[in-house]
Amino acid sequence: MFYNNLLSIPVLFFSSLLFEDWSSVNINLNFPEDRRNNIIIAMIFSGLSSIFISYTSAWCVRTTSSTTYSMVGALNKLPLAISGLIFFNAPVTFFSVTVSCPPHLRWVTS
């Protein structure tokens, strides 16, 4: 993570200088004076959160194993899918709760 991000900084910096509009009009449009501090604080918080998430992911792999980390990553989608079926009142059929539907059986679901 560290070296990939470090190597991408010069590319992003020069691309930003080349392609972005850095005029004061555009800066004031994207960062209004009354909300400028809140936007900058949100950007800093977002960056720090992403660093924290990357660190905790690496710590989890080091503490457990890559297989456990992969299974947790795969299984964390189940509560979201179940809550989607419950809260959005989606029809619960055999094909809506199975992992995948083969292409030759997709006519059955419609």
Side-chain angles (χ1 to χ4, degrees), residues 4-15:
N4 289 337
N5 292 341
L6 195 63
L7 289 173
S8 67
I9 287 174
V11 174
L12 292 174
F13 179 74
F14 289 119
S15 296

Side-chain angles (χ1 to χ4, degrees), residues 83-97:
S83 65
L85 289 172
I86 293 170
F87 293 119
F88 295 119
N89 200 17
V92 180
T93 63
F94 174 75
F95 292 108
S96 69
V97 295

Side-chain angles (χ1 to χ4, degrees), residues 91 93-98 100-110:
T93 63
F94 174 75
F95 292 108
S96 69
V97 295
T98 54
S100 66
C101 182
H104 64 282
L105 293 177
R106 290 198 178 138
W107 61 271
V108 177
T109 60
S110 45

